[in-house]
Amino acid sequence: PKATNMPSPPPADSSNNNNGSRRRPRILLGITGSVAAVKGPQLASKLAHEGSDVCVLLTRGGENFWTKAAEYDPQSWEEFNAQIKNEVVDGDTASPAG
């Protein structure tokens, strides 16, 4: 299981922190062992494009369907891969992976 962080553009609107600067929403997107996981890259890309910092967390079951997303929706998969940072975390132990 892996997690990846996606950079995002500044949001149009967001909550202010104590010093008055805007903070981007941070979203943890959990992908589990469901066929709906093939929509994960599309959802993560959309959230990042709208100004959120998105971290995708894959369970072992979700990883199987996640890899099928490239075949299901190649355009969303390419957009997702273009946006992600190379930060990977093992979702079962929440420790940095390899």
Side-chain angles (χ1 to χ4, degrees), residues 36-91:
V38 298
K39 289 287 198 172
Q42 180 183 21
L43 179 58
S45 293
K46 183 176 181 177
L47 290 167
H49 182 73
E50 291 177 355
S52 298
D53 287 328
V54 180
C55 180
V56 178
L57 180 67
L58 296 174
T59 64
R60 286 186 185 137
E63 194 169 5
N64 176 51
F65 290 103
W66 181 261
T67 58
K68 304 269 190 265
E71 298 170 20
Y72 176 78
D73 188 352
Q75 182 178 354
S76 291
W77 184 255
E78 289 300 319
E79 183 179 330
F80 171 79
N81 281 320
Q83 291 177 336
I84 64 169
K85 293 180 182 179
N86 291 327
E87 297 178 37
V88 179
V89 177
D90 182 324

Side-chain angles (χ1 to χ4, degrees), residues 23-24 37 93:
R23 183 174 51 118
R24 290 184 252 196
T93 62

